[in-house]
Amino acid sequence: MKNAPSIDDQVEMYRKMIACRRVEEAFGTLSKEGRTRGPIHRCDGQEAVGIGATAMLTDEDYITSTHRGHAHYIGKGVDIYGISAEILGRKTGLCGGRAGHMLIADPAKGMIGGNAIVGAGIPAATGMALSNQILKNGRVAMTLFGDGSSQTGIWHESMNMAALWKLPVVFVLEHNEYGLTVHSDRQGSTKDISERAASYGIPTEIVDGNDALAVYRAVSTMVERARRGEGPGFVECKTYRWEGFSTSDMGGYQDPEVIAEWKKRDPIKIAYDQLVGEVGAEKLDQIERDTSADVRDAIERALADPLPEFEICNYTAPYSGEVH
Amino acid sequence: MKNAPSIDDQVEMYRKMIACRRVEEAFGTLSKEGRTRGPIHRCDGQEAVGIGATAMLTDEDYITSTHRGHAHYIGKGVDIYGISAEILGRKTGLCGGRAGHMLIADPAKGMIGGNAIVGAGIPAATGMALSNQILKNGRVAMTLFGDGSSQTGIWHESMNMAALWKLPVVFVLEHNEYGLTVHSDRQGSTKDISERAASYGIPTEIVDGNDALAVYRAVSTMVERARRGEGPGFVECKTYRWEGFSTSDMGGYQDPEVIAEWKKRDPIKIAYDQLVGEVGAEKLDQIERDTSADVRDAIERALADPLPEFEICNYTAPYSGEVH
Amino acid sequence: MAKLRYAEALNIALREEMTRDPSVFLFGEDIGTYGGVFKVSKGLLEEFGDQRVRDTPISEQALTAMAVSAAMTGTRPVLEIMYADFLPLSLDALVNQASIYEYIWKEKVQMPFVLRTQGGGGAGAGAQHSKALDVLVAHIPGLQVVAPVTPADARGLLKAAIRDPRPVIFLEHKLLYNMRGEVDLDSEGLVEIGKARTVQPGTDVSIFATSKMVIDAEKAAELLAKDGISAEVIDLRSLRPLDLGAIKASIAKTNHAVVVNEGWRFCGYAAELSATIMDHAFDELDAPVERVTLPDMPIPYSETLEASVLPNAEKIAAAAKKTLA
Amino acid sequence: MAKLRYAEALNIALREEMTRDPSVFLFGEDIGTYGGVFKVSKGLLEEFGDQRVRDTPISEQALTAMAVSAAMTGTRPVLEIMYADFLPLSLDALVNQASIYEYIWKEKVQMPFVLRTQGGGGAGAGAQHSKALDVLVAHIPGLQVVAPVTPADARGLLKAAIRDPRPVIFLEHKLLYNMRGEVDLDSEGLVEIGKARTVQPGTDVSIFATSKMVIDAEKAAELLAKDGISAEVIDLRSLRPLDLGAIKASIAKTNHAVVVNEGWRFCGYAAELSATIMDHAFDELDAPVERVTLPDMPIPYSETLEASVLPNAEKIAAAAKKTLA
Ligand SMILES: Cc1ncc(C[n+]2csc(CCOP(=O)(O)OP(=O)(O)O)c2C)c(N)n1
Ligand SMILES: Cc1ncc(C[n+]2csc(CCOP(=O)(O)OP(=O)(O)O)c2C)c(N)n1
Ligand SMILES: [Mg+2]
Ligand SMILES: [Mg+2]
């Protein structure tokens, strides 16, 4: 089938979804135990978007992410030990503990980066696509962003320039129905945000965001177009946020029945069902066990790591010459 | 006909268009003679938009304008002597010479106001509509803005909130094909910007912006809806800029043939043709002579007025108590 | 007298003013159903309805512009911007709109709006959610900028801000919300904008501090007292207009000054305090004013790193000793 | 040696750097077909094509964010923001993005972009088109901020800025574009960022000025000379990093300082200069530093009014006399 991943790719996506789920659960627990600094923005139940959307990219391609980026990082191939150590503020973290849980980046993997200014990843990826176009390097930039961030002005400015200049950028909307605590119906006047993107002349597609395969297919069509120089694409992935805005969320505004309905459509279960006929339950179960153990080991290792020592940053000093 | 102005209203619109044209011509000349401070942003040929769109408003309704606002001011009933004295920086100007040619306001007439930050009038009117809705005062807010300003992020944020909250605001796009020196085709990816507004669920209409009657009809439908509490409307008025971006424009990028084509569709001529059967050439010619004389007198009076004397502004002082 | 949390005192002030004046309304992200991420507007949606307590989309730029124009047209908006780090998004509406209208339109308009936000570090919120950025707004003519530290001042200044005919930027701090203090709910409790508060009198050195730094300055004064140094701690409360009289009076007594602000040092608010003192009290000074601020670098996330950059009691005490040396 | 207009010198610098390095590209409003509203990019679209010289929509906020990220990914963008008054729209990309990435990402990225803009009054452009706002960017760690006054410095600093691995905010002034000066086109002419320039040596008082104010300071020095006062005029050129060595050396000679900046006074750039001098040269000062700035109010339009608020040679000379009194 056109734009379908190979079985090996699908298995790898499955493995990454398992890894991500274990990360979310582990940090949920650590946070409850007071062993993280600041809240954790979990993405349990949304793994298919970040992992399905990035699976066809190379390390040369760029992605920009958000405050809720674990699946994006893992999808892009960033090391889970490095991520975990960074979330925990360790010296061994990907950014030496300077960035923290919302701002992780791994330039070597083209993941630059997490962003806690809502919407800011959108023009960032658009600018990377501009670089790509000028350098004619065949790279694609992708930005993953939320329904809430789609109401920011930079969303509009970015859509317009991407469409106008046919930039190689792919917009992946992770529509989880909430922007912090307010339902998307009360944040935006348009149910399907991709309708707005279409009004810029950008090709759009709406997919089941809990089906990694569907996400992969739609996104890879857009990635291929972009790589061929045909301009941007926009994929709206419909999903749902299971675990509240963050671990500091006091709740009370999401309907437990709706959550329960969505949990029945667990993206990992959907991926399992799609694969089990091809590769068998045994292999999938083995992957689950191995991956879970790997994640547990990585996080334990990170927890044992030291905190960083402070050094003043010299290159931001306000005086030149002798004084730093 | 529904939403058609009365003949008297139409005659008044004709008078205001003549007045505006004389203002534009006079300031064009004054600027060339070095008798204005800073460039003048002329709106010759676009008068039908500002005057047609505001003719059904009362002094209680609000409008926000741009750097190219003469027709908007005059349409809203602002005094031409006060406008001229302000453009000339006189003590007798509407704002005592403090505001100047781009920032004129007349709160008593609901005109607040000119704005030289492109796009800034759009959320301003949206905020006024929010006030109106909360106060339930039945007032409507209108913003007149350009094709260039439609690419700013605040355009999008404003459309969304206006639609989401059904605010009593009417968006009037004065599409003159240029944002400063760049053609709209190279500033935006969507030919009819109202298509984008429609994607927010806002009712839209595209009209001939050189036909004041057509502008009036479309806009008054939206104003009535807004006043009834049915939410915002968007009217895209297609027109063209005859005289360059401003009097300091060095030109060279607009096609003289296109200008000539548009000049054949002079909004004043169109209004004349629509009215002459009803009221006769004599009356229209008389109006033209009288109005031209009025404008000439007003500007001459303003030219003879003194410049203001400086006084420090106390209420913006940074220290409290004894020091100001 | 009630012992209230800072967040509760703010909540009460909002309720009191909304009850008193139907033209007051609140808007901002997550302030309605959820009651605000710091719970300052808790219960107000239920009490005043969704016209006057409005959850908004994430659109700080237009929201701020709308606060300005709504204030010009008959209402008194109170806008919550969740983090001071997002003030750049509000800045065009502040510096190019709110700042200029009253003057350029010859006093024919006024803009009674309040922009509430909270800044500052110490919560591990990282480089994009920990900044003070107070100088960005304190620089702007036509704005008033206040930063209460006690619950009583929080209530009193918020009420005064809402009643003021001109824009007020109301700066809170994420570490203050849970601090408790006495609030006299039987009195109106209004606090005049532009008046500093003497936290503790002293004779050797004046410590002028803003926002949460006042707490650290108090602790520094305790440390200094152990070494026999008598520090006068002044909570400036109002960053603009600044209570120059209080500053001059204190320096006239102590002849030594330390200024403490949680923003960056270079071109930060502490620079203005230092320059103001130079302008108005140079002859009274026995030593240069010491600035205690964030160093000029991004705020790191990890606990060890963040603690190293934030001003604290030890750094303030050291600066006081330096100026006395 | 050629006698060139400031705008021409900038144009040459852009052409030289675009020729030298194919990763340099220009974007901004009206910079292509029209060559920029101040004609700085004249002829470059024709020479380098529309990929590398791009007219943009009016979208300052996203454009600045795009400059930051493009710079991280292999190109060297030079973005023109038409008026410094629009810097608030760029500010999130500067303070929350460009400022932090290199540090928080452990030096794994760099951002070699230049944001060119022009500020300042004197052209009757009104409250929204006349401001300096230089302090907004000078406050931000991770940015460099330069403001050349002569055509030679305009060329030399722009070339240095484009080659620099870190962000540079390049501040021009609308009244400088037509000023002429010698430029040696036979040499590279690079000017190091962070070095002040002594415009004229003197012994009685040091005048430190930024951007177009340097011209006024020179005139002030002439006025002062008539009264037998020898003023040393220093063009700071680089607002961040600031050449503290040059400041200290000059004050060591004169023991008196006047600082001149076209922004507002309160929390403005002149406040930092005053505070910096207090920090580093208090003992050398015989009198408080005098600040010459805009008063704290909006910039009015009419000629009589605008002229009253702008700093000028007379005000600078008066401040110098005051500090010597
Ligand atoms: C400019 C800005 N405004 C507000 C916030 C606070 N905030 C953080 S996440 C968030 C909601 C974002 O919603 P969405 O984009 O849908 O992402 P999700 O949390 O659902 O993944 C808000 C309002 C912020 N970080 N930045
Ligand atoms: C935020 C901002 N960016 C840029 C400018 C410079 N500028 C003034 S008018 C203009 C073009 C506006 O185009 P449009 O909205 O179509 O209005 P028109 O001039 O055609 O009436 C530009 C770019 C500005 N004043 N404000
Ligand atoms: Mg969401
Ligand atoms: Mg236009």
Side-chain angles (χ1 to χ4, degrees):
Chain A
M1 195 185 305
K2 208 174 158 307
N3 290 315
S6 69
I7 289 295
D8 281 356
D9 288 343
Q10 250 181 287
V11 168
E12 177 62 6
M13 279 156 61
Y14 178 75
R15 191 189 67 74
K16 285 178 168 173
M17 284 198 278
I18 297 283
C20 187
R21 179 66 52 87
R22 291 296 101 83
V23 167
E24 302 311 284
E25 291 163 347
F27 277 100
T29 305
L30 287 168
S31 175
K32 229 175 246 144
E33 296 169 356
R35 296 168 75 194
T36 61
R37 199 159 196 239
I40 302 296
H41 302 85
R42 296 175 62 169
C43 68
D44 317 43
Q46 304 176 205
E47 296 92 342
V49 179
I51 286 161
T54 54
M56 77 298 294
L57 301 178
T58 74
D59 288 355
E60 308 281 274
D61 295 320
Y62 303 112
I63 69 162
T64 68
S65 176
T66 66
H67 56 288
R68 195 183 306 286
H70 302 163
H72 317 159
Y73 310 161
I74 293 171
K76 199 68 170 57
V78 178
D79 174 49
I80 288 179
Y81 163 66
I83 295 170
S84 303
E86 187 60 33
I87 295 175
L88 293 165
R90 307 298 153 154
K91 186 175 181 164
T92 51
L94 267 171
C95 309
R98 296 176 182 178
H101 60 94
M102 298 193 286
L103 308 180
I104 293 176
D106 188 352
K109 291 283 176 186
M111 208 293 288
I112 40 177
N115 211 316
I117 300 297
V118 167
I122 303 169
T126 308
M128 294 171 193
L130 178 58
S131 243
N132 294 344
Q133 185 180 69
I134 289 170
L135 298 173
K136 298 186 181 61
N137 59 15
R139 299 183 186 189
V140 166
M142 177 183 294
T143 177
L144 298 114
F145 56 96
D147 44 297
S149 76
S150 300
Q151 313 305 346
T152 63
I154 36 180
W155 184 96
H156 161 88
E157 295 183 354
S158 302
M159 290 302 138
N160 183 49
M161 284 187 265
L164 181 66
W165 294 334
K166 290 196 183 305
L167 296 179
V169 55
V170 178
F171 299 104
V172 178
L173 165 56
E174 187 164 342
H175 196 314
N176 65 3
E177 298 198 11
Y178 283 86
L180 239 164
T181 66
V182 179
H183 193 270
S184 53
D185 288 350
R186 292 190 297 118
Q187 296 215 10
S189 64
T190 311
K191 195 170 165 44
D192 297 330
I193 292 168
S194 52
E195 258 185 54
R196 294 189 188 165
S199 79
Y200 293 77
I202 297 177
T204 65
E205 190 171 338
I206 297 176
V207 296
D208 176 357
N210 284 18
D211 178 349
L213 200 56
V215 171
Y216 182 104
R217 283 188 193 142
V219 172
S220 65
T221 306
M222 301 301 185
V223 167
E224 283 172 22
R225 284 188 77 253
R227 224 186 274 292
R228 285 194 307 265
E230 292 169 24
F234 190 108
V235 178
E236 175 163 0
C237 308
K238 304 281 197 185
T239 182
Y240 191 81
R241 203 187 65 191
W242 290 358
E243 292 292 336
F245 172 68
S246 77
T247 49
S248 70
D249 190 337
M250 294 179 236
Y253 57 86
Q254 273 179 285
D255 181 345
E257 276 180 41
V258 175
I259 299 178
E261 277 309 307
W262 276 93
K263 283 198 173 169
K264 288 188 201 149
R265 303 199 59 262
D266 184 338
I268 292 180
K269 189 169 163 302
I270 291 173
Y272 185 98
D273 292 347
Q274 286 165 341
L275 270 174
V276 69
E278 289 281 350
V279 301
E282 202 175 325
K283 178 155 182 203
L284 293 179
D285 295 346
Q286 185 64 42
I287 287 172
E288 159 141 27
R289 279 191 304 275
D290 291 351
T291 306
S292 303
D294 288 350
V295 169
R296 195 176 47 241
D297 289 352
I299 295 178
E300 265 169 26
R301 199 145 57 94
L303 276 165
D305 284 341
L307 294 171
E309 288 116 51
F310 178 70
E311 264 177 89
I312 194 85
C313 179
N314 271 317
Y315 50 81
T316 57
Y319 300 117
S320 60
E322 84 247 59
V323 183
H324 270 288
Chain B
M1 195 185 304
K2 205 172 158 313
N3 290 317
S6 68
I7 289 296
D8 282 357
D9 288 343
Q10 250 181 285
V11 168
E12 177 60 6
M13 280 156 60
Y14 178 75
R15 191 190 66 74
K16 284 178 167 173
M17 283 199 277
I18 296 284
C20 187
R21 178 66 54 87
R22 291 298 100 83
V23 167
E24 302 311 283
E25 291 164 349
F27 277 100
T29 306
L30 287 167
S31 174
K32 229 175 246 143
E33 295 168 358
R35 296 169 74 195
T36 61
R37 192 154 205 246
I40 302 295
H41 302 85
R42 295 175 62 168
C43 68
D44 317 43
Q46 303 176 204
E47 296 94 340
V49 178
I51 285 160
T54 54
M56 76 298 295
L57 300 179
T58 74
D59 287 357
E60 308 280 275
D61 295 319
Y62 303 111
I63 69 161
T64 68
S65 175
T66 66
H67 56 289
R68 195 184 305 286
H70 302 164
H72 317 158
Y73 310 161
I74 292 171
K76 199 68 170 56
V78 179
D79 174 48
I80 288 179
Y81 163 65
I83 295 170
S84 302
E86 187 60 33
I87 296 175
L88 293 164
R90 308 296 153 155
K91 185 175 180 163
T92 51
L94 266 171
C95 310
R98 295 177 183 178
H101 60 94
M102 297 193 286
L103 308 181
I104 293 176
D106 187 353
K109 292 282 178 189
M111 208 294 287
I112 39 178
N115 211 315
I117 299 297
V118 166
I122 303 169
T126 308
M128 294 171 193
L130 179 58
S131 243
N132 295 344
Q133 185 180 69
I134 287 170
L135 298 172
K136 298 186 180 63
N137 60 14
R139 299 182 187 191
V140 166
M142 177 183 294
T143 176
L144 297 115
F145 56 96
D147 45 297
S149 76
S150 301
Q151 313 306 346
T152 63
I154 36 179
W155 183 96
H156 160 87
E157 297 184 354
S158 301
M159 290 301 137
N160 182 48
M161 283 186 266
L164 182 66
W165 294 334
K166 290 195 183 306
L167 296 178
V169 55
V170 178
F171 299 104
V172 178
L173 165 56
E174 187 163 343
H175 196 314
N176 66 2
E177 298 198 10
Y178 282 87
L180 238 164
T181 66
V182 179
H183 194 271
S184 53
D185 288 350
R186 292 190 298 118
Q187 296 215 9
S189 65
T190 311
K191 196 170 163 45
D192 297 329
I193 292 168
S194 51
E195 257 185 55
R196 293 188 189 165
S199 79
Y200 293 78
I202 297 176
T204 64
E205 191 171 338
I206 297 176
V207 296
D208 176 357
N210 283 20
D211 178 349
L213 201 56
V215 171
Y216 182 103
R217 282 187 193 143
V219 172
S220 65
T221 307
M222 300 301 184
V223 167
E224 283 172 21
R225 284 188 76 252
R227 223 185 276 291
R228 286 194 306 265
E230 293 169 23
F234 190 108
V235 178
E236 174 163 0
C237 308
K238 303 282 196 185
T239 182
Y240 191 80
R241 204 187 64 192
W242 290 358
E243 292 293 335
F245 172 68
S246 78
T247 50
S248 70
D249 189 337
M250 294 180 236
Y253 57 87
Q254 273 179 283
D255 181 345
E257 277 180 40
V258 175
I259 299 177
E261 277 308 308
W262 275 94
K263 284 197 171 168
K264 288 188 202 149
R265 303 200 57 262
D266 184 339
I268 292 180
K269 189 167 163 304
I270 292 173
Y272 184 98
D273 292 346
Q274 287 166 341
L275 270 174
V276 69
E278 289 280 350
V279 301
E282 203 176 323
K283 176 154 181 205
L284 293 179
D285 294 347
Q286 186 62 42
I287 287 172
E288 159 141 28
R289 278 191 304 275
D290 292 351
T291 306
S292 301
D294 289 350
V295 169
R296 194 176 48 243
D297 290 353
I299 293 179
E300 266 169 25
R301 198 144 58 92
L303 277 165
D305 284 341
L307 294 171
E309 289 117 51
F310 178 70
E311 266 178 87
I312 193 88
C313 180
N314 271 317
Y315 51 80
T316 56
Y319 300 117
S320 60
E322 84 246 61
V323 182
H324 271 289
Chain C
M1 283 292 213
K3 193 111 180 164
L4 296 179
R5 287 169 53 244
Y6 186 93
E8 287 165 346
L10 291 169
N11 183 267
I12 288 169
L14 292 174
R15 181 175 288 107
E16 288 176 318
E17 293 308 301
M18 292 185 80
T19 304
R20 198 184 53 77
D21 181 349
S23 76
V24 176
F25 75 96
L26 315 184
F27 66 148
E29 293 156 21
D30 305 283
I31 66 151
T33 309
Y34 194 63
V37 293
F38 299 101
K39 294 290 181 190
V40 170
S41 47
K42 198 176 159 185
L44 300 178
L45 171 64
E46 293 74 4
E47 194 165 336
F48 297 100
D50 64 5
Q51 286 287 300
R52 291 179 66 200
V53 181
R54 236 174 248 246
D55 278 317
T56 69
I58 305 167
S59 299
E60 285 83 0
Q61 204 187 334
L63 286 168
T64 313
M66 289 165 68
V68 177
S69 61
M72 266 197 307
T73 51
T75 50
R76 290 185 176 259
V78 181
L79 171 62
E80 178 174 308
I81 296 290
M82 204 182 286
Y83 283 77
D85 305 73
F86 314 154
L87 282 176
L89 299 169
S90 297
L91 208 63
D92 181 75
L94 298 178
V95 75
N96 282 320
Q97 317 294 336
S99 168
I100 67 168
Y101 291 158
E102 182 172 358
Y103 175 76
I104 67 161
W105 293 340
K106 247 188 129 176
E107 291 87 31
K108 287 181 211 158
V109 296
Q110 283 200 315
M111 288 154 283
F113 72 88
V114 178
L115 185 159
R116 288 182 43 243
T117 191
Q118 62 76 34
Q128 292 177 332
H129 279 61
S130 304
K131 297 190 291 299
L133 295 190
D134 42 13
V135 73
L136 295 184
V137 285
H139 182 50
I140 304 176
L143 302 186
Q144 301 166 88
V145 182
V146 299
V149 175
T150 67
D153 281 351
R155 170 171 172 254
L157 277 170
L158 185 51
K159 292 174 72 171
I162 292 172
R163 295 183 194 189
D164 198 277
R166 300 205 166 90
V168 180
I169 312 299
F170 194 91
L171 301 175
E172 304 161 14
H173 191 295
K174 50 180 78 55
L175 297 191
L176 290 176
Y177 289 118
N178 284 321
M179 293 202 180
R180 287 176 186 279
E182 299 287 348
V183 182
D184 179 4
L185 294 176
D186 296 331
S187 89
E188 272 282 25
L190 289 174
V191 173
E192 191 183 335
I193 294 172
K195 289 271 168 272
R197 172 176 72 98
T198 302
V199 180
Q200 89 166 44
T203 51
D204 296 332
V205 57
S206 303
I207 306 178
F208 302 104
T210 60
S211 189
K212 189 238 153 196
M213 291 295 110
V214 173
I215 311 273
D216 301 273
E218 278 189 78
K219 287 187 197 143
E222 286 171 30
L223 296 177
L224 290 166
K226 286 185 194 145
D227 291 327
I229 298 168
S230 162
E232 175 149 303
V233 178
I234 308 263
D235 171 6
L236 292 172
R237 290 203 292 203
S238 174
L239 276 64
R240 183 185 188 112
L242 178 61
D243 189 347
L244 181 57
I247 292 175
K248 291 202 303 195
S250 182
I251 294 179
K253 254 196 330 190
T254 64
N255 307 114
H256 293 88
V258 175
V259 297
V260 193
N261 173 260
E262 203 182 322
W264 289 306
R265 180 182 178 90
F266 195 74
C267 297
Y269 189 74
E272 179 55 57
L273 291 176
S274 180
T276 284
I277 293 171
M278 163 104 82
D279 287 347
H280 296 278
F282 184 76
D283 292 338
E284 314 268 9
L285 282 182
D286 289 347
V289 175
E290 285 294 321
R291 288 191 259 178
V292 182
T293 67
L294 211 64
D296 292 295
M297 60 178 283
I299 301 178
Y301 164 74
S302 188
E303 196 150 9
T304 47
L305 305 182
E306 190 187 18
S308 302
V309 301
L310 293 176
N312 59 28
E314 289 69 32
K315 292 178 190 177
I316 298 168
K321 286 183 186 167
K322 188 172 167 211
T323 185
L324 289 166
Chain D
M1 283 290 213
K3 192 113 181 165
L4 295 178
R5 288 169 52 242
Y6 186 92
E8 287 166 345
L10 291 169
N11 182 267
I12 288 169
L14 292 174
R15 180 175 288 106
E16 287 176 319
E17 292 309 301
M18 292 185 79
T19 305
R20 198 185 52 80
D21 181 350
S23 76
V24 176
F25 76 97
L26 315 184
F27 65 148
E29 294 155 21
D30 305 283
I31 66 151
T33 309
Y34 194 63
V37 293
F38 299 101
K39 295 290 183 192
V40 169
S41 47
K42 197 175 159 187
L44 300 179
L45 171 64
E46 293 75 4
E47 195 165 334
F48 297 101
D50 64 6
Q51 287 286 301
R52 291 179 66 198
V53 182
R54 238 175 245 246
D55 278 317
T56 69
I58 305 168
S59 300
E60 284 84 0
Q61 204 186 336
L63 287 167
T64 313
M66 289 164 68
V68 176
S69 61
M72 266 197 306
T73 51
T75 50
R76 291 185 175 258
V78 181
L79 171 63
E80 178 175 307
I81 297 289
M82 205 182 284
Y83 283 77
D85 305 73
F86 314 154
L87 282 176
L89 299 169
S90 297
L91 208 62
D92 181 75
L94 299 178
V95 74
N96 281 320
Q97 316 294 335
S99 168
I100 67 169
Y101 292 158
E102 183 172 358
Y103 176 75
I104 67 162
W105 294 341
K106 248 189 127 174
E107 291 86 31
K108 287 181 211 159
V109 297
Q110 282 199 315
M111 289 155 283
F113 72 88
V114 178
L115 185 159
R116 287 183 43 244
T117 190
Q118 63 76 33
Q128 293 176 332
H129 280 61
S130 304
K131 297 190 291 299
L133 295 190
D134 43 12
V135 73
L136 295 184
V137 285
H139 182 49
I140 304 177
L143 302 186
Q144 301 167 88
V145 182
V146 299
V149 175
T150 66
D153 282 351
R155 169 171 172 253
L157 276 170
L158 185 50
K159 291 173 71 171
I162 292 172
R163 295 183 195 189
D164 198 276
R166 300 206 166 91
V168 179
I169 312 299
F170 194 91
L171 302 174
E172 303 161 14
H173 192 294
K174 49 179 78 56
L175 298 191
L176 290 176
Y177 289 117
N178 284 321
M179 294 201 179
R180 288 177 186 279
E182 299 287 349
V183 182
D184 179 5
L185 294 176
D186 295 331
S187 89
E188 271 283 24
L190 289 174
V191 174
E192 191 182 334
I193 294 172
K195 289 270 167 272
R197 173 178 70 98
T198 303
V199 180
Q200 88 165 46
T203 52
D204 295 333
V205 57
S206 303
I207 306 179
F208 303 104
T210 59
S211 189
K212 189 237 153 197
M213 291 295 109
V214 172
I215 311 273
D216 301 273
E218 278 188 79
K219 287 186 196 143
E222 286 171 29
L223 296 176
L224 290 166
K226 285 184 193 145
D227 291 327
I229 298 168
S230 162
E232 175 146 305
V233 178
I234 308 262
D235 171 6
L236 292 172
R237 291 203 291 205
S238 174
L239 276 65
R240 182 185 189 113
L242 177 62
D243 188 348
L244 181 57
I247 292 175
K248 290 202 304 196
S250 181
I251 293 178
K253 254 196 330 191
T254 64
N255 308 114
H256 294 87
V258 174
V259 296
V260 193
N261 173 260
E262 203 181 321
W264 289 307
R265 180 182 178 90
F266 194 74
C267 297
Y269 189 74
E272 179 56 55
L273 292 176
S274 179
T276 285
I277 292 171
M278 161 104 83
D279 287 347
H280 295 278
F282 184 77
D283 292 337
E284 313 269 9
L285 281 183
D286 289 346
V289 175
E290 286 293 321
R291 288 191 258 178
V292 182
T293 67
L294 211 65
D296 293 294
M297 61 177 283
I299 302 178
Y301 165 74
S302 188
E303 197 152 6
T304 47
L305 306 181
E306 190 188 18
S308 302
V309 301
L310 293 176
N312 59 28
E314 289 70 30
K315 293 180 191 177
I316 298 168
K321 286 184 186 168
K322 188 171 167 213
T323 185
L324 289 166

